[in-house]
Structure formats: structure tokens, C-alpha cells
Amino acid sequence: MLCEEKWWSNPCDNKNDGRYNDDISPDISNLNPILFKAHGLWKGSYEVYDENFNPAEPSPAIIGLFPVGPRPYAPIGEVFFNITIAGTRWEQHDIYVLGPAPQSFCDANPNIPGLPFSNVGDDGVCGENGSAVVADAFKTSTHEKNDILIGVSGTGRYLVDPSADPNFAWTMIPSGAEQLVEALSINNSRAVYAYTFSPSFNQLTLDFTRYVIEPEKLPEMRYRLVLKVERVEDESAWLESIEDSMIKHKVTANTMATYGTVPTTGQCAKNDVGCPTLEMWCDSGDASPLCGPTPYIEETTVNAGVVAGITVAVAAVVIAAVAYFMQALHKKKMAAEKERLKNEFARRIVGTFSVGSGGEAITMEKITEEFQRIDSGSEGGDGRISKAEMKNFITTSDSAGGQMKEGDFETLFALIDEDGDGDIDFAEFSAFMGHIKGNIDQQVDKFAEA
């Protein structure tokens, strides 16, 4: 709620803070144009790679766990996205059509009664039938009214249950004019996504990489998924493409009947623990009116001097005006300090970070490489950057010479460490790298001119 300044009121401390302005909407479409570009229907193909970037080999499914876990199917197939962005919510419903596994896999992995493994994921025949799996992903904007989306939960192949890890973190941010970057941290698993659009925004490449972090070890990549899709304007044609794909890959009638349709807004393709309740939406910070009013409220208050008398009121107004001016000056100075520290960090990053010319997308591989480089101190490889590790990076990476003041370092670390727990995890680091992409571009340009 925006405070109004009247001749009889106290100054509004948050007059220029958009979070307090009811005229600024928290809807996703209002935050950053690129966020809404994902809205719509998409179809295309996918390929799965192992940790060595070779096509992934099929693996027997774990009975009762599939589609989560190993997949006993070919590493290539077709994929269909239905992304609905309405108000503060991003609802994504996806269908993966899996190709049959090669016969050599079936021969090497016969089903043995009593063992919890199967060479198929449904009622099909190994080597003859493909299959289909579905997944949902839910994200929301918040009352912060910035361009960061917060992950709520996921179902099916994307199963994410926030209650399973108190340190769960999932964010999506824009990175340049044609890319979205997403980072997920839950238990010992880290996942990074890069959504890269074509200039027309009618093609989209999604690069997904999953890492596992073990104590006292560097993050290990487990698999990589690359999806290339194109926009489909006609819903009937999109649904027909799903049916044709299932027929082409010989998906069984039962699986087609179960997963051959896509849910509408407010529903889940897979009803499991990841299907969000209203409480889950609200706990994630959803700015929807369903979750209650904004916490950013500043009411107009009467200046006590008005009650005391005109003379006192005039004096109070003068004092309030001076106080307000000093507050505004302080805020402006703090904003400038934060921008200076972002540039300081970007300058050091450019010294070690393999970045291209201004405007190029920051890839997940580059962000991961830089995170691992910094996470190399006495606690190295634990998946969290400590203050000591960050200070070592700041000290040793300044090719221009000079040391960062202790106060500046503490402020910079706090900017990156969003949850304030004293360490920087991969999700926080990825989000900050997206925030300072413009600063990195400026430093790259300065370096090129030098």
C-alpha cells in the first residue's frame, strides 16, 4: 500500500519502493517481457546424455518409483510442453514420449520375479513398445515485484517435494534478452536449466544438467538433457502431434489413455506429493490475492506537530522534510554502493570467467565451472562457498590490483547469500550471476577496449 504525503502527514519512508505501490502489479507478465515469452504450446525432441556427454544407456526401472529414477527406454524421444502463465503463477505440464529400448538391452536385462527392477516402465514389451511420462512444474512471482520466480513444486518426472529439505531453493531469473536461467537445490542434488530462445521467440532450447554433491567431493554431473522445441499456435494440431508421436513409438493403449491428454489450469498431469496445494503456493511467497494481502504496507500517519499547533507543525514539517531528504540520500548512496560492488565482483569474474562479447548468454557450464573454482578452499567440494573461499577468490582474482575493504566484502557476500545462512549455495550463486550479467558485459567491453 503506497503511503501518501500530505501537508499534515509524516514523510513516507518507502515512497519510491515499488513493493509498496499498489499501482505496480506483481503479475509475471508485468515483471520482465522475457518471462511471458515461454507462455504457450511447444513440441519438439529431446536427447539424454551421461556424465561423459555420451548418449545415455537405458537402465532398468525401479518398480514403484518410475518415472522417477532410471528409464528403460531409448535416450531420444519427443516432448510436448503446455506452459500457462496467468497472474502470478507459472503452470507447466509436459509429456515425454519415450522410444523403445534396443533389443540388446532387453536381452541383457530380463525381468526376474522377486527383484524390484523391470525392463519396462508400464505394461509394454521391452524392445517393442515405447512409453510416455508426464511432469508438472509450478513457479510463482512474489510481493518483491522483481523478475525472480520462485519454484513451488514439481510432479512426476520433475518430482520436487519442498518439505523433504528445509534448505530447498528453486529460482528462475532472466539472463539477457533471450535467456532464462533456473537453479534448483534439494538435499544433495543440484540442477541447472538454461532456456534459450531464438530471436523470434518461436524456438526454444532447454539445457538441463543434474549434479550430485557428496561431502568433501566436487559436484559430479549425473546426466544432461537437451530439448529443442518450437511454438505451436493451434491446440488441435498440438494434441494431434501427441497422439501421432505415441502411435509412432508404439505406446500401449493403457498409457495412451492415462497420459494422452493435458490438464487445464489448476490441475496436475501427475497427482503425487508435488501437486501444489494453496498452502504450498502461499508458503512459496505467491503474490496472488488468494494468499492474502501484501506485507509491504506503509500507512499515511499524521504529524504530531499538527495537533500541537501551527507553529510546532511548521517546525515539524521542516524537520520531517530534512529527515526525508537524508533518508532518500542514504538510499541513493546504498544503491550506488551495491552497484559498485557488483562491478567489483564482475571485474574479478572476467579475469577467470570464460565469457564472450557483451550480450552473449552465460551458460550453465560456465557458471558451474566458476562455482567449482571458488568452492576450493579447506571445505572445497562441499557445494557451498564459505566466506573464506570467497575472500580467497576476491583476493587472488583481482588482476587490476588492490584489495577489497572488509566492509565492502561483507556487503558483497550478503548480496549473494540471499538466505543469510553464512554460505553461498549453487542456487544463490547462479541467481547472482544472472543479476550481474549486465555488469559482466560492461567489464568485458572495457577489457576489450584496453
Side-chain angles (χ1 to χ4, degrees):
M1 182 179 296
L2 183 64
C3 172
E4 294 183 348
E5 290 187 349
K6 304 293 186 180
W7 67 269
W8 45 265
S9 69
N10 288 314
C12 301
D13 291 333
N14 301 287
K15 180 179 180 180
N16 299 315
D17 190 332
R19 296 174 299 177
Y20 291 82
N21 191 341
D22 289 339
D23 294 332
I24 298 177
S25 170
D27 289 352
I28 294 175
S29 60
N30 183 62
L31 302 179
N32 190 308
I34 191 176
L35 290 170
F36 195 72
K37 296 296 185 181
H39 176 84
L41 303 173
W42 304 82
K43 72 172 184 178
S45 61
Y46 72 85
E47 296 183 30
V48 185
Y49 300 91
D50 62 18
E51 65 276 11
N52 297 314
F53 297 101
N54 297 316
E57 296 291 336
S59 298
I62 301 175
I63 297 175
L65 185 62
F66 184 82
V68 177
R71 287 191 291 187
Y73 295 98
I76 59 175
E78 296 179 87
V79 65
F80 303 86
F81 293 163
N82 174 18
I83 301 176
T84 300
I85 299 174
T88 60
R89 297 182 177 183
W90 171 308
E91 298 187 18
Q92 182 170 343
H93 311 292
D94 300 343
I95 297 178
Y96 290 80
V97 181
L98 319 176
Q103 189 59 46
S104 58
F105 164 79
C106 305
D107 295 339
N109 296 276
N111 291 335
I112 301 176
L115 293 182
F117 304 104
S118 175
N119 57 19
V120 291
D122 55 15
D123 60 341
V125 177
C126 185
E128 295 183 16
N129 299 109
S131 188
V133 297
V134 295
D136 304 288
F138 302 95
K139 294 179 274 285
T140 182
S141 58
T142 69
H143 288 293
E144 296 297 320
K145 299 181 183 178
N146 52 24
D147 54 6
I148 300 176
L149 300 188
I150 303 299
V152 178
S153 64
T155 77
R157 187 66 187 173
Y158 304 154
L159 183 61
V160 175
D161 178 11
S163 65
D165 180 11
N167 296 317
F168 164 79
W170 182 5
T171 57
M172 170 185 276
I173 63 171
S175 176
E178 297 174 1
Q179 189 179 61
L180 298 171
V181 175
E182 193 169 6
L184 170 65
S185 173
I186 185 168
N187 297 320
N188 70 330
S189 179
R190 305 291 185 271
V192 289
Y193 310 72
Y195 297 72
T196 305
F197 294 91
S198 66
S200 67
F201 291 97
N202 288 323
Q203 286 82 39
L204 171 63
T205 299
L206 198 163
D207 194 331
F208 165 81
T209 309
R210 179 174 175 266
Y211 299 85
V212 171
I213 298 179
E214 301 292 348
E216 300 182 358
K217 293 183 180 180
L218 291 174
E220 296 181 4
M221 192 189 87
R222 290 300 171 88
Y223 68 84
R224 181 181 182 185
L225 178 65
V226 179
L227 308 97
K228 296 182 178 181
V229 295
E230 62 182 13
R231 189 182 299 277
V232 179
E233 298 293 347
D234 183 76
E235 182 178 356
S236 297
W238 184 74
L239 292 171
E240 185 177 338
S241 296
I242 297 175
E243 182 179 2
D244 290 345
S245 179
M246 290 189 175
I247 294 173
K248 170 185 172 183
H249 292 91
K250 297 182 180 180
V251 177
T252 67
N254 285 337
T255 298
M256 287 184 66
T258 303
Y259 299 132
T261 58
V262 178
T264 58
T265 301
Q267 297 178 318
C268 292
K270 181 71 173 179
N271 285 299
D272 53 29
V273 294
C275 192
T277 62
L278 178 60
E279 182 180 6
M280 292 167 69
W281 281 105
C282 298
D283 286 347
S284 300
D286 184 9
S288 166
L290 296 174
C291 292
T294 173
Y296 296 105
I297 299 175
E298 182 181 15
E299 297 181 353
T300 305
T301 57
V302 177
N303 191 304
V306 174
V307 178
I310 295 299
T311 302
V312 176
V314 171
V317 168
V318 172
I319 294 172
V322 172
Y324 173 74
F325 174 76
M326 295 301 293
Q327 177 76 3
L329 188 63
H330 175 71
K331 288 184 177 181
K332 184 176 181 180
K333 182 178 179 181
M334 289 300 294
E337 283 293 294
K338 289 181 179 180
E339 190 65 22
R340 179 179 65 81
L341 292 176
K342 288 180 180 179
N343 282 324
E344 283 287 314
F345 188 72
R347 179 162 61 85
R348 287 167 167 83
I349 284 288
V350 168
T352 61
F353 198 36
S354 178
V355 294
S357 59
E360 288 189 5
I362 297 176
T363 67
M364 285 298 98
E365 288 86 351
K366 292 177 181 178
I367 292 176
T368 302
E369 178 183 344
E370 192 67 12
F371 181 85
Q372 292 175 345
R373 180 181 290 113
I374 300 174
D375 181 27
S376 58
S378 59
E379 312 93 349
D382 64 351
R384 303 179 71 83
I385 297 173
S386 66
K387 281 191 176 182
E389 290 169 333
M390 178 61 77
K391 183 168 290 187
N392 179 65
F393 168 76
I394 293 295
T395 302
T396 60
S397 62
D398 188 4
S399 60
Q403 299 296 314
M404 181 176 286
K405 295 179 180 178
E406 186 66 23
D408 286 350
F409 173 78
E410 292 293 336
T411 301
L412 173 64
F413 195 89
L415 285 175
I416 309 175
D417 180 22
E418 292 185 353
D419 61 10
D421 66 352
D423 288 309
I424 298 169
D425 60 27
F426 189 76
E428 291 171 328
F429 185 78
S430 299
F432 189 72
M433 289 297 292
H435 283 314
I436 67 168
K437 183 181 184 299
N439 304 83
I440 291 175
D441 290 343
Q442 292 176 10
Q443 296 301 321
V444 170
D445 292 340
K446 288 181 180 178
F447 182 79
E449 293 171 358

